[in-house]
Amino acid sequence: MVDSPSIGPPPGLQRCLRKLGLPTDLKIDWQRLDLALTHASVDSQANYERLELLGDAVLRLAVTEYLQEAFPQATVGQLSALGSVLVSDRTLAQLAESLGLGTYLLSATPNRSPHSATPPARLADALEAVLGVLYLETHNLELIRPWLDPHLQRLAVTIQQDPARRNYKDALQVLTQARDRSLPEYRTTEPHPLDAHPQRYQSQVWWQDNCWGTGHGPTKKQAEQAAAAIAYGRLQKEQEYPVLDDQTGHNS
């Protein structure tokens, strides 16, 4: 422990734990938690990058455990597609924002006003870093799943209610064609050439020279569906691509 009994843990970090639904008297390495909320723009050496790397793996384990317990009848492909959306930066940033994590994140971006929003990627990274800190306290998910599961449940219901969820590839194709009459391109590799490996294939979906989503699955089709699910969600939020009028081809 790095905090002394006479001084106690930093009040800001205590509030951060309270936002996560954890007790403020939790025995935790407060210096490590402070590091998890420090961006590289503040300190190029002492920042959250290493904790984020660990937290990414911890998050995927927590999500996989939750999905297998919550959806015992779902196929591996369905779980993979849903899991890909749950661990995407966009979803994590939304969750981090709902938890007010940006309030506690230290960054030093030039020309940023105090009231400007924290970039989504930083919110997602910081949340993963915090998960890494909590994992290191117990080396299991004891401090993570009790508060994370309700959020995963809410997000999973929202994703399932998406009318495009049954076939994200078709939905994405309709979306891209409506915007510039072009189709997305799938680039699929086989990083784990083992039968029934849940991440046997990795697929990236490209459109307009940008990669919009990456997904994994035991088959090429399932990996592509997982990638399309992320791309579909990202493109729905983009405002810079005007939808073309169906009849004239002009911007609507």
Side-chain angles (χ1 to χ4, degrees), residues 51 55 58-59 126-136 144 147-148:
L51 288 166
V58 171
L59 172 69
L127 179 57
E128 289 179 333
V130 170
L131 292 176
V133 171
L134 296 177
Y135 174 81
L136 287 174
I144 297 172
W147 63 266
L148 183 61

Side-chain angles (χ1 to χ4, degrees), residues 29-196:
D29 187 330
W30 295 102
Q31 187 176 48
R32 186 184 285 153
L33 181 59
D34 184 62
L35 196 64
L37 296 169
T38 302
H39 185 256
S41 60
V42 175
D43 191 318
S44 61
Q45 299 298 320
N47 55 63
Y48 62 48
E49 290 179 349
R50 291 179 66 88
L51 288 166
E52 177 218 339
L53 181 64
L54 172 63
D56 175 73
V58 171
L59 172 69
R60 292 177 185 277
L61 176 59
V63 168
T64 300
E65 283 192 3
Y66 165 76
L67 290 177
Q68 294 206 1
E69 294 171 9
F71 304 99
Q73 305 303 319
T75 66
V76 172
Q78 291 170 331
L79 294 177
S80 179
L82 186 54
S84 292
V85 179
L86 287 175
V87 301
S88 68
D89 278 357
R90 185 172 68 90
T91 301
L92 292 181
Q94 290 173 346
L95 176 55
E97 187 174 14
S98 72
L99 294 170
L101 205 60
T103 303
Y104 311 103
L105 179 60
L106 299 177
S107 61
T109 304
N111 302 321
R112 248 189 86 195
S113 71
H115 304 292
S116 61
T118 304
R122 292 190 185 181
L123 285 173
D125 292 346
L127 179 57
E128 289 179 333
V130 170
L131 292 176
V133 171
L134 296 177
Y135 174 81
L136 287 174
E137 292 299 324
T138 61
H139 291 277
N140 57 42
L141 302 178
E142 178 184 341
L143 297 179
I144 297 172
R145 288 200 55 190
W147 63 266
L148 183 61
D149 278 14
H151 293 291
L152 295 179
Q153 180 182 23
R154 172 179 56 81
L155 292 167
V157 169
T158 301
I159 294 167
Q160 286 192 311
Q161 290 174 344
D162 185 340
R165 77 182 190 280
R166 295 187 182 277
N167 194 330
Y168 278 109
K169 288 186 67 176
D170 284 354
L172 181 63
Q173 179 175 313
V174 170
L175 197 60
T176 58
Q177 282 187 312
R179 291 185 171 180
D180 76 346
R181 312 292 194 219
S182 66
L183 297 175
E185 174 193 354
Y186 293 88
R187 302 177 185 178
T188 305
T189 59
E190 188 180 11
H192 303 288
L194 298 172
D195 290 343

